[in-house]
Amino acid sequence: MNETFVRLLCPDCQKTWERKPNQLPAHTDRFACDGCEAEYRTAEFTRTDRDLDVLKQFQ
């Protein structure tokens, strides 16, 4: 079985990284960038609509 990851992109510093969906807060909750500490809704960090769909599916 393949592990599922959500690809993330910080709107402020443009840092990219991946996390397992169960390691992230709900898509409507606040989340802080690992690099610059910018804080937005988790959904705003998802790179694509597909990443957002995966995040929603696991929450």
Side-chain angles (χ1 to χ4, degrees), residues 6-31:
V6 174
R7 296 176 306 156
L8 304 167
L9 170 67
C10 177
D12 287 359
C13 72
Q14 303 302 305
K15 176 184 174 168
T16 61
W17 70 105
E18 295 179 343
R19 287 258 181 97
K20 294 179 183 178
N22 61 358
Q23 296 176 330
L24 293 167
H27 69 283
T28 56
D29 291 347
R30 303 290 288 178
F31 179 70

Side-chain angles (χ1 to χ4, degrees), residues 34-53:
D34 288 346
C36 72
E37 299 300 319
E39 200 170 299
Y40 296 95
R41 291 181 307 118
T42 309
E44 295 181 55
F45 283 94
T46 56
R47 290 186 70 186
T48 65
D49 290 339
R50 176 72 180 128
D51 291 311
L52 180 57
D53 290 342

